Amino acid sequence: MPQTEAEFERQHVTNWLEEQGWTVKNGANRPFIGTDYDRAKNEVIYDKVLEAQVKQINNVTVVELESILQDLYSSFSSSSSLMETNYNMIKKLRSGGTYTTKNEAEDDSSYSLIDFEDISNNEFVAVTQFHFEDSNPHVNRRPDIVLFVNGLPVSVIESKNVSSKNDS
């Protein structure tokens, strides 16, 4: 009997991710309410995780963290298209960004969203059945697996069974 998509996902993809050091969480039925992984249904970023990781990686104060998050989120709102937003986000993931410190000189400082020098400082989480609402309230999305680094979604995996017919 062929495996269902859920069995394939559970047995192969998530096992492989765990072997690579990813923490796997089941996102069905919004189980993270009241945790660092709680979020609004129309949000795709785990804000509490992002804030904690950025603060730890960059060793910044709460005020500096607010400046970093303002710089990060402004790159979403200032983009004119999805393509530009994705480009800006990939640039920030790879190279970080700058923020203005709240000292007398108001110096610019750089920050990182991912610690590439000490990879153990990052949080790698795979969420299965990640549910979110589109801008259209009648459209719900549920990718099979979404990979998050430090609370930011970096990849979507749709697992399909090659032995089943799926023409869509």
Side-chain angles (χ1 to χ4, degrees):
M1 175 180 229
Q3 287 182 311
T4 66
E5 183 178 319
E7 290 169 337
F8 177 82
E9 175 185 303
R10 184 173 46 255
Q11 290 179 0
H12 298 286
V13 178
T14 56
N15 287 346
W16 182 83
L17 286 166
E18 286 176 330
E19 289 170 7
Q20 303 310 309
W22 291 77
T23 300
V24 177
K25 296 179 178 283
N26 184 342
N29 303 319
R30 299 197 65 228
F32 309 130
I33 294 172
T35 72
D36 285 350
Y37 286 87
D38 194 1
R39 62 180 176 75
K41 287 182 183 180
N42 63 342
E43 295 292 327
V44 296
I45 295 173
Y46 289 116
D47 291 317
K48 290 178 185 175
V49 176
L50 174 64
E51 290 171 14
Q53 291 301 117
V54 168
K55 188 173 183 203
Q56 174 190 320
I57 290 168
N58 296 283
N59 194 26
V60 294
T61 66
V62 173
V63 173
E64 291 169 324
L65 176 63
E66 289 173 7
S67 293
I68 291 170
L69 295 175
Q70 182 178 10
D71 177 67
L72 175 64
Y73 290 126
S74 70
S75 66
F76 301 143
S77 60
S78 66
S79 301
S80 60
S81 69
L82 181 59
M83 186 71 94
E84 186 178 344
T85 300
N86 287 340
Y87 175 79
N88 289 339
M89 192 62 221
I90 288 170
K91 201 166 135 183
K92 295 246 188 236
L93 285 171
R94 293 178 70 194
S95 306
T98 59
Y99 67 98
T100 303
T101 58
K102 302 295 181 189
N103 59 23
E104 290 177 18
E106 292 194 2
D107 299 321
D108 283 342
S109 297
S110 61
Y111 68 86
S112 298
L113 298 172
I114 297 175
D115 189 340
F116 290 103
E117 292 179 19
D118 184 356
I119 208 77
S120 67
N121 284 334
N122 300 299
E123 187 164 321
F124 298 93
V125 175
V127 178
T128 62
Q129 300 303 308
F130 179 78
H131 175 261
F132 66 97
E133 292 180 356
D134 203 325
S135 56
N136 177 344
H138 303 291
V139 176
N140 294 314
R141 307 277 186 216
R142 191 183 305 262
D144 291 336
I145 303 170
V146 178
L147 302 180
F148 292 86
V149 178
N150 298 335
L152 294 168
V154 295
S155 184
V156 173
I157 299 172
E158 285 293 334
S159 50
K160 300 297 177 205
N161 187 339
V162 294
S163 65
S164 68
K165 289 189 175 188
N166 186 355
D167 296 328
S168 56

PDB file of all heavy atoms in Angstrom, residues 5 31 38 48 151:
ATOM      1  N   GLU A   5       0.625  11.212   1.851  1.00  0.00           N
ATOM      2  CA  GLU A   5       1.517  12.373   1.906  1.00  0.00           C
ATOM      3  C   GLU A   5       1.960  12.629   3.343  1.00  0.00           C
ATOM      4  O   GLU A   5       3.131  12.899   3.609  1.00  0.00           O
ATOM      5  CB  GLU A   5       0.771  13.583   1.351  1.00  0.00           C
ATOM      6  CG  GLU A   5       1.585  14.840   1.289  1.00  0.00           C
ATOM      7  CD  GLU A   5       0.802  15.990   0.694  1.00  0.00           C
ATOM      8  OE1 GLU A   5       0.061  15.788  -0.281  1.00  0.00           O
ATOM      9  OE2 GLU A   5       0.933  17.104   1.222  1.00  0.00           O
ATOM     10  N   PRO A  31      -1.058  24.880  17.870  1.00  0.00           N
ATOM     11  CA  PRO A  31      -0.733  24.392  19.214  1.00  0.00           C
ATOM     12  C   PRO A  31       0.185  25.294  20.025  1.00  0.00           C
ATOM     13  O   PRO A  31       0.459  24.998  21.170  1.00  0.00           O
ATOM     14  CB  PRO A  31      -0.012  23.073  18.915  1.00  0.00           C
ATOM     15  CG  PRO A  31       0.666  23.351  17.617  1.00  0.00           C
ATOM     16  CD  PRO A  31      -0.302  24.215  16.842  1.00  0.00           C
ATOM     17  N   ASP A  38       3.750  31.566  19.374  1.00  0.00           N
ATOM     18  CA  ASP A  38       2.407  32.101  19.163  1.00  0.00           C
ATOM     19  C   ASP A  38       2.507  33.259  18.168  1.00  0.00           C
ATOM     20  O   ASP A  38       3.495  33.992  18.152  1.00  0.00           O
ATOM     21  CB  ASP A  38       1.843  32.602  20.497  1.00  0.00           C
ATOM     22  CG  ASP A  38       0.347  32.851  20.461  1.00  0.00           C
ATOM     23  OD1 ASP A  38      -0.272  32.618  19.407  1.00  0.00           O
ATOM     24  OD2 ASP A  38      -0.188  33.271  21.496  1.00  0.00           O
ATOM     25  N   LYS A  48       8.452  36.705  18.659  1.00  0.00           N
ATOM     26  CA  LYS A  48       9.157  36.528  19.935  1.00  0.00           C
ATOM     27  C   LYS A  48      10.476  35.782  19.739  1.00  0.00           C
ATOM     28  O   LYS A  48      11.477  36.110  20.369  1.00  0.00           O
ATOM     29  CB  LYS A  48       8.270  35.792  20.931  1.00  0.00           C
ATOM     30  CG  LYS A  48       7.095  36.605  21.414  1.00  0.00           C
ATOM     31  CD  LYS A  48       6.225  35.805  22.365  1.00  0.00           C
ATOM     32  CE  LYS A  48       4.985  36.596  22.738  1.00  0.00           C
ATOM     33  NZ  LYS A  48       4.062  35.804  23.552  1.00  0.00           N
ATOM     34  N   GLY A 151      13.111  32.344  13.738  1.00  0.00           N
ATOM     35  CA  GLY A 151      11.743  32.858  13.670  1.00  0.00           C
ATOM     36  C   GLY A 151      11.319  33.379  12.315  1.00  0.00           C
ATOM     37  O   GLY A 151      10.170  33.760  12.126  1.00  0.00           O
TER      38      GLY A 151
END
